[in-house]
Amino acid sequence: MRGGAPSFAAGVLWCERLACMNRLGGATSPYLLQHAENPVDWWPWGPDAFAEARRRNVPVLLSVGYSACHWCHVMAHESFEDPETAALLNEHFVSVKVDREERPDVDAVYMEAVQAATGQGGWPMTVFLTPDAEPFYFGTYFPPSPRHGMPSFGQVLEGVRRAWADRRDEVGEVAGRIVADLAGRSLSESLPAADRRPPRPEELHAALMGLTREFDAVHGGFGTAPKFPPSMVLEFLLRHHARTGSAGALEMVQASCAAMARGGIYDQLGGGFARYAVDREWVVPHFEKMLYDNALLCRAYAHLWRATARDGAAGGLSDLARRVALETADFMVRELRTDQGGFASALDADSDDGTGSGRHAEGAYYVWTPEQLRSVLGEKDAEFAAGYFGVTDEGTFEAGASVLQLPDVGGPVDAERVASVKERLRAARAERPRPGRDDKVVASWNGLAVAALAETGAYFDRPDLIQAATDAADLLVRVHMDWQARLHRTSRDGTAGANTGVLDDYANVAEGFLTLASVTGEGVWVDFAGFLLDTVLVQFTAEDGALYDTAADAETLIRRPQDPTDNATPSGWTAAAGALLSYGALTGSALHRDAAERALGIVTTLGGRAPRFIGWGLAVAEAALDGPREVAVVGPPDDPTTRALHRAALLGTAPGTVVALGTPGADDAAEVPLLMARPLVDGKPAAYVCRNFTCERPTTDPAELAERLRR
């Protein structure tokens, strides 16, 4: 709060805070709850807020952010907690606060407008709307006073207030043009009919060449700073290597994964990845830890291990991939698992700086100075740890502190000493004030976690991870999924939120269910995936096969969002294509297979132009080109040969392979059509490798099965 006596309006506002608290106090979003006691008279997104704006004849301030967003917290402290700023907002605007993770559709529509108008975007997103929800002025973070060429937030508010009062017609014309421009951006209409087919081999090779040009051969990853984990691209490159044997594709994965695992973006003490690195070298992260990043990267490192471990070609890198996959899985279970069995969304970047001042600082929980090392480890071990983790007197972050890394120290390292140092540092760090946790459960991201934990548990003989995946899947069915197979986007404390699921919720939850079915042999998860994918076909799919991000019966916005490109997670469009393809392979459904192939037409269009931004679609296209291969493993579940065949099938690297496990005549065989009419061979467990339900000679030899599924 700024110094000086508050204005009369601010004083009145403080007397009315109970009403403000009540509007956001019942939210399931921790981000909205963080603003429930602001002096700003916040409204949640909904028709009541816009009706109030029409009644008062004032514009709407739309502020979009999320709980782990550092600059969202900064703007909240600087502006939304300030009574004078709040008084101006309350008198001249209706203020609407949105959690982008609860309402990705609202975020996507207005972020598209922000990026079109300003050439950039980010959070917090600040948009001014007419009472008809039409945008007319845009921005992201605004400081409390003019800074670096940016106007202050107060100046922006005053300028918008005057424009609304004095130039209303002009404001309406601007808003009308923006809405018309957004409405004209339909991919369904612009996608050439000839391109509505999956990419051919030469087109996937062109995408590989495009990625090669953008690859950072020195530091790994793609592009410059800031540098984000290329999770979806890694999956494409691994599948392309499996199909073609491309050494270059595998080398890009190996270099990127090694650089990230050794860099500051990876938590060297507790496991898990931060959201991105602010530098090209992966040294300094933006410290927030998101469930989706860790689920995707856990799976990518597990798949890298799968691709390299058997022939030993990658040596120590295979061991690194195994360690990082397991540590990341353990991080998710330890730090993000909720009491109900789901997974929380994120850990904040900021935490109390530990000085007793009550101030929060980014990275305070994670960084170390040489003096802090000495206080925990003593002089000799502190000197060793500083060299091992790259802690310097100058620091690699702020105020002389360093982010822990694993620089190449050269020569062998005393593993016992490293383990002792890490354990003592972990214990000391646990005494620090912890970052806040956004404990809402997002359906889409939990679907990604189910897939990652199920596979990681299966690869590395960790039944506890498979159980964690099963528990999360069970929560998604019990809490997020209604009797009509419609999904709720979020839940908190076991209670579903009011917001309906979007396309990536249906796609990623279906992907998680199908992966869990492959690992556990429980066919009921295939059924649940089928219910969700039928909703995708009915509610999200256009007649021409294009996909929308929101359901046909969802709330009408100024534009129906439709984005086939990846962001930090796979696009709903291509994630749905992948789940439809896998479901079609398990069930023989031509309807789902055809829908997947039509959806992949966008990959044909964009793969050669922007491969970094449609990596998941390229990965799905690799699976479609390979078949994908369908493996039915039949035999008694307690038979060692059945287990060995099942493991060989799960470790197969053929792109997008689907696996069904069952006992002939058991109920699960009826639930998964791929298992039907697959008998034992001479009374022994057997595996059938098929494409489009046409099968090769069955085998009872796990080694032979493994060889068939290598490429």
Side-chain angles (χ1 to χ4, degrees):
M1 197 161 61
R2 295 173 186 163
S7 67
F8 173 78
V12 172
L13 175 69
W14 280 101
C15 294
E16 296 176 347
R17 285 181 67 199
L18 181 60
C20 173
M21 291 171 62
N22 286 343
R23 283 215 191 90
L24 298 185
T28 56
S29 160
Y31 177 65
L32 296 189
L33 292 172
Q34 289 168 3
H35 293 269
E37 295 188 12
N38 288 168
V40 176
D41 193 12
W42 289 113
W43 293 70
W45 177 274
D48 290 349
F50 291 96
E52 177 69 4
R54 281 190 291 273
R55 185 186 70 79
R56 291 175 48 199
N57 194 24
V58 295
V60 172
L61 164 71
L62 173 64
S63 177
V64 182
Y66 58 103
S67 179
C69 167
H70 171 71
W71 287 102
C72 299
H73 294 309
V74 171
M75 190 167 176
H77 294 317
E78 292 174 343
S79 296
F80 300 141
E81 294 176 6
D82 174 50
E84 294 183 16
T85 301
L88 183 58
L89 281 167
N90 294 342
E91 184 176 355
H92 298 291
F93 301 87
V94 168
S95 300
V96 174
K97 178 60 72 173
V98 168
D99 182 342
R100 67 176 292 260
E101 295 170 354
E102 280 200 327
R103 291 302 302 263
D105 52 340
V106 172
D107 177 66
V109 166
Y110 292 105
M111 184 61 74
E112 185 177 10
V114 171
Q115 291 173 330
T118 68
Q120 58 186 1
W123 299 275
M125 177 169 62
T126 306
V127 185
F128 293 89
L129 314 176
T130 72
D132 293 323
E134 297 178 335
F136 62 88
Y137 189 79
F138 315 89
T140 52
Y141 164 79
F142 288 107
S145 57
R147 187 187 305 162
H148 306 306
M150 285 190 293
S152 72
F153 188 48
Q155 288 173 325
V156 170
L157 294 178
E158 184 59 26
V160 172
R161 183 196 69 77
R162 281 203 296 261
W164 184 260
D166 301 335
R167 304 193 305 278
R168 183 76 57 83
D169 290 344
E170 181 182 334
V171 168
E173 289 175 6
V174 169
R177 286 198 301 270
I178 292 169
V179 171
D181 177 64
L182 293 175
R185 299 183 176 201
S186 171
L187 282 169
S188 296
E189 296 176 2
S190 62
L191 183 63
D195 285 349
R196 291 173 186 154
R197 55 166 178 78
R200 301 184 181 100
E202 60 270 22
E203 290 161 333
L204 294 174
H205 178 73
L208 175 68
M209 293 298 99
L211 290 170
T212 302
R213 288 189 291 271
E214 297 188 62
F215 178 65
D216 184 342
V218 177
H219 303 292
F222 299 85
T224 56
K227 190 173 275 186
F228 290 81
S231 306
M232 288 68 76
V233 167
L234 296 177
E235 189 66 37
F236 161 62
L237 292 172
L238 285 170
R239 289 185 178 189
H240 190 78
H241 165 71
R243 183 178 61 84
T244 68
S246 168
L250 182 59
E251 287 167 4
M252 284 190 278
V253 177
Q254 292 171 326
S256 298
C257 286
M260 290 190 295
R262 300 183 72 85
I265 193 174
Y266 185 68
D267 183 349
Q268 304 296 340
L269 294 183
F273 289 86
R275 184 165 168 253
Y276 64 89
V278 301
D279 58 282
R280 182 178 179 182
E281 294 81 16
W282 305 104
V283 175
V284 178
H286 188 38
F287 290 89
E288 60 192 353
K289 285 182 171 181
M290 311 300 297
L291 173 61
Y292 54 73
D293 283 320
N294 285 284
L296 289 164
L297 287 167
C298 175
R299 202 176 187 192
Y301 278 87
H303 287 174
L304 174 59
W305 173 85
R306 182 178 67 177
T308 58
R310 283 184 297 184
D311 56 18
L317 185 57
S318 291
D319 294 337
L320 178 69
R322 180 184 188 277
R323 175 175 66 80
V324 171
L326 284 169
E327 288 179 352
T328 304
D330 287 336
F331 157 75
M332 287 191 286
V333 174
R334 183 182 67 250
E335 302 287 344
L336 296 179
R337 196 177 191 198
T338 70
D339 291 342
Q340 295 74 34
F343 290 91
S345 297
L347 299 181
D348 286 356
D350 303 0
S351 58
D352 189 296
D353 64 8
T355 63
S357 65
R359 290 179 303 209
H360 279 59
E362 186 179 3
Y365 184 73
Y366 299 100
V367 298
W368 296 82
T369 64
E371 178 57 35
Q372 288 171 327
L373 292 181
R374 285 191 289 271
S375 70
V376 174
L377 302 173
E379 195 69 38
K380 290 186 178 180
D381 277 351
E383 182 179 357
F384 168 78
Y388 185 77
F389 288 118
V391 176
T392 66
D393 291 332
E394 299 79 12
T396 58
F397 181 50
E398 297 173 353
S402 293
V403 182
L404 301 189
Q405 307 171 70
L406 286 182
D408 187 0
V409 296
V413 176
D414 185 339
E416 288 188 10
R417 191 178 191 186
V418 169
S420 172
V421 163
K422 290 177 71 171
E423 181 57 36
R424 284 181 281 163
L425 291 178
R426 272 195 298 267
R429 192 175 78 171
E431 299 300 317
R432 295 177 175 179
R434 298 181 65 82
R437 187 173 87 158
D438 182 336
D439 58 358
K440 72 175 179 295
V441 172
V442 176
S444 172
W445 307 349
N446 274 254
L448 297 174
V450 168
L453 292 171
E455 288 189 334
T456 303
Y459 295 170
F460 304 120
D461 194 23
R462 286 283 302 275
D464 59 312
L465 297 180
I466 299 173
Q467 186 60 54
T470 303
D471 291 344
D474 181 64
L475 177 74
L476 290 169
V477 172
R478 287 187 296 104
V479 175
H480 286 253
M481 193 171 172
D482 67 20
W483 66 275
Q484 294 178 306
R486 303 301 293 270
L487 282 174
H488 294 269
R489 168 76 174 173
T490 60
S491 70
R492 189 164 184 252
D493 296 331
T495 300
N499 299 304
T500 58
V502 295
L503 179 60
D504 75 317
D505 292 307
Y506 286 85
N508 289 330
V509 172
E511 170 79 10
F513 288 171
L514 292 171
T515 305
L516 189 59
S518 292
V519 167
T520 64
E522 296 175 358
V524 67
W525 298 114
V526 178
D527 286 341
F528 283 132
F531 298 150
L532 297 177
L533 293 173
D534 286 346
T535 300
V536 169
L537 295 178
V538 172
Q539 288 287 341
F540 293 88
T541 306
E543 290 185 6
D544 59 9
L547 292 164
Y548 287 96
D549 295 334
T550 55
D553 60 2
E555 176 188 354
T556 301
L557 303 174
I558 59 169
R559 160 174 160 77
R560 191 177 180 190
Q562 184 184 43
D563 187 357
T565 60
D566 298 331
N567 198 292
T569 59
S571 77
W573 185 320
T574 56
L580 287 163
L581 185 71
S582 295
Y583 183 79
L586 284 166
T587 64
S589 170
L591 178 66
H592 293 81
R593 171 79 190 205
D594 291 346
E597 291 186 345
R598 290 195 299 163
L600 287 173
I602 197 67
V603 184
T604 304
T605 300
L606 297 180
R609 303 178 200 169
R612 278 176 59 192
F613 303 102
I614 200 158
W616 199 262
L618 292 166
V620 176
E622 287 285 354
L625 197 61
D626 190 72
R629 272 172 258 195
E630 308 142 1
V631 184
V633 177
V634 292
D638 57 350
D639 189 302
T641 302
T642 304
R643 293 197 295 270
L645 288 168
H646 184 217
R647 179 171 176 79
L650 293 174
L651 291 177
T653 55
T657 296
V658 299
V659 179
L661 170 67
T663 303
D667 290 342
D668 280 353
E671 291 172 355
V672 184
L674 182 59
L675 292 170
M676 295 177 66
R678 311 288 183 213
L680 301 178
V681 174
D682 297 329
K684 299 177 182 178
Y688 296 77
V689 179
C690 319
R691 282 187 175 97
N692 296 318
F693 272 54
T694 300
C695 301
E696 303 172 3
R697 171 186 55 82
T699 180
T700 60
D701 181 0
E704 181 184 345
L705 176 62
E707 188 59 34
R708 288 193 197 179
L709 297 176
R710 285 179 69 89
R711 282 186 192 146

